[in-house]
Structures are given as structure tokens and as C-alpha cells.
Amino acid sequence: MRWCKLLVAGVTLAVPAVLAGQDPNFLLPVAEIGRILREGEFEVLDIRPSRGLPGERTYRATIQSGDHLLQVKYAPAPEGGDEFNNRPRYELAAWAVQKLFLDERDWVVPPTAIRALPLDVVQATLAAAPGDANLPPEQTFREWPMTLVALQYWLFNVEVPEELPDGDRLEEDEVYERLLGNFNLLTYIIRHSDSNQGNFVQSTDPSRPRVFAVDNGVAFSSEESDRGTRWRDLQLDRYAASAIDRLRTITGEELQANLGVLVQFEIRNGNFVEVEPTENLDPGRGVRHDAQRIQLGLTDSEIRALHRRIVRLLQWVDDGRYELLP
């Protein structure tokens, strides 16, 4: 594999270059990125506020896992693991929902995972970020000195679009229309309620101008943002038939099975590790735990509301309100 140079905190590091035929927004296969985020051992080489301002809630970190170098969004959870604009379970749910109706090459949420990290490790990591007003991490649960941290792959070769949608391109470029439609289907289904600039980015690849949703913490049953909620609604006239056909096959039972328990941790040798989900400890709560386990997922009511949005969308299609792209 060819390598290129990346300058991080004054140190020149080697990262794999994009090869012909490789997705320019990902420097590793998506499956390998997901594995590293979920379970890989990693070292944080550099960390700084996501938008370059001190006191931010999220950070941009450069991590090394074995021979792999990645940049990620690093977002510690609040106490209790759930508050407005900081709900890691919503970030993970958005990542999971897209996989129910889109193929991997069309996914619009970058690989996302949640880790249960020792509190002292997270404290030391954030202490290395520049600035005098960095927010100290909170202990997620009083019972254990640990913090849940949401990790999301930081995309390459993307930019914040000046205009979304680009009306002229929408009329002339069916590939753009299809990719934007996939993005919009996801934002509608998850009820994305924060159109803040920077929450959506677009690939600079002219042949595949995919639009990504990179901040999905204000969604589902969340309160809405004061930055607008445009993409909570369907904005286009046509959507890909393949995505609509996949949505038709989704049942309420499948949604419960996939979204009720998104991730589960258990104590092993004094640390929390991710394990295969067991029974839902409390379907009425999104964050659940007992003496040995932690679960994050959507609540029953959130899943039912999501299913209703899908059913409503399909009815609109059948009524002719939206056309299908072959």
C-alpha cells in the first residue's frame, strides 16, 4: 500500500494514500475502521477541540491502532449517559438504522462506536488538548470510575457544502440526486432535528458527491435545535427505488431486534468490555444498567415512532407524492 504524510502536532506521520478504486472518504475498509473503533487497542497521538475552540464537547483525535492511523471524533458522554445534544446512543442508532436500508457504499453515517474507558484514561486524554477551558470528562455512572466515549471516524476529502441541496446540480445530476436522497431518507427516518452548519458534509469526489450526516445527537425523540430542522422532513421529489424497496421489508420486530439494545458492556477483570447483547433490561429507558451490565439502545416508544415514520413514507410513495429513481 502506498503511504502519504500527515502532520500532527508537529510530528510527520505516515498514513495510507487513497488507491485507484478506493473510496476517497475512507483510508481503510469500513469494516476494519469499525473493528478498531469497537474493540481495537489504540493510542491517542493528538487531540484538539473539533472546531478549534476551547471548552467544546467533542474533540478531533488522531489515534494509532497497530499499523493503522485514524482520525476520529472523540465525544465523552455526560453523567448518566444521556442529555440534550449529548446522547451517544443516538449516534450509534443512526449508524445502525442506515444499514437496514442502504448498501455499504451508500451509507451516510461514518463508522461509529461507543467505548467504556477508564475515567483516568479519558481525563489524561482531554488534558492533552490545547486551550485553558477544556471541559473535564464526567464519570458516566456513580458506581464505576469510567466514562462512555462515542468514537466516529473522521472522513477525508469532504467539505461543508455552501448550499444543500444544490438546486442546479439536483436538476442536472441524477447521481447527486440519488445520493442526496439516501441522506434525506436517513435524516427523515431518525428525525434529525439539528441543521447546524458542520453537521452535514459532502464528498469532494465529483463522481460520487455523497452527503454524510456526521452529528446525529439531536434526533429521534430529542428536543429540536435552535439551528433549524430542515432535514427532519423529506426535501426531494424522487428517491431511490432500491432504498424504498428495502424499507418495505422492515418490520417492527426487526427494528426492536436491531435497535432495542445497540451495545452492551459487562465487567471483565475490572474493566467494561463490549459483549453480545442479552435481553433488554428496561425497554422504557435508553440507558440501562445493573450490577454488572450497561446497555444503550432506543426505547420502545422511540422505535415505534421510527416505524410510524417509515410506514408514513411508504404510504406517501404509494399515493404518488414521491417518485422513484430506478
Side-chain angles (χ1 to χ4, degrees), residues 295-313:
Q295 290 180 346
L296 301 180
L298 294 186
T299 66
D300 268 359
S301 62
E302 289 169 341
I303 294 172
R304 289 195 300 269
L306 185 153
H307 191 221
R308 288 195 297 270
R309 288 191 290 275
I310 293 175
V311 170
R312 185 164 60 240
L313 163 65

Side-chain angles (χ1 to χ4, degrees), residues 19-88:
L19 302 177
Q22 180 179 329
D23 191 318
N25 305 125
F26 300 88
L27 297 187
L28 289 172
V30 169
E32 179 63 8
I33 294 171
R35 184 197 67 78
I36 292 171
L37 297 186
R38 287 194 315 275
E39 61 188 44
E41 294 186 6
F42 63 84
E43 177 186 3
V44 177
L45 303 180
D46 181 67
I47 186 165
R48 55 196 61 242
S50 293
R51 292 178 170 86
L53 301 173
E56 289 187 34
R57 180 183 64 81
T58 65
Y59 298 81
R60 179 174 181 170
T62 301
I63 66 173
Q64 185 155 19
S65 179
D67 294 332
H68 298 310
L69 195 71
L70 296 82
Q71 291 195 325
V72 300
K73 181 170 70 173
Y74 187 101
E79 181 179 357
D82 216 38
E83 69 179 20
F84 175 70
N85 201 27
N86 193 356
R87 291 191 167 101

Side-chain angles (χ1 to χ4, degrees), residues 88-99:
R89 64 191 183 93
Y90 283 178
E91 301 285 0
L92 198 57
W95 163 246
V97 168
Q98 68 175 350
K99 293 189 278 186

Side-chain angles (χ1 to χ4, degrees), residues 96-112:
V97 168
Q98 68 175 350
K99 293 189 278 186
L100 298 176
F101 70 98
L102 294 176
D103 293 332
E104 179 180 309
R105 71 188 303 268
D106 294 327
W107 289 350
V108 298
V109 178
T112 304

Side-chain angles (χ1 to χ4, degrees), residues 79-80 119 139-147 267 270 272 287-294:
E79 181 179 357
L119 179 62
Q139 186 170 313
T140 307
F141 303 104
R142 292 192 301 271
E143 295 87 342
W144 307 290
M146 54 77 71
T147 298
I267 296 178
F272 278 100
V287 180
R288 319 141 197 151
H289 70 278
D290 59 17
Q292 298 290 325
R293 294 176 293 179
I294 299 170

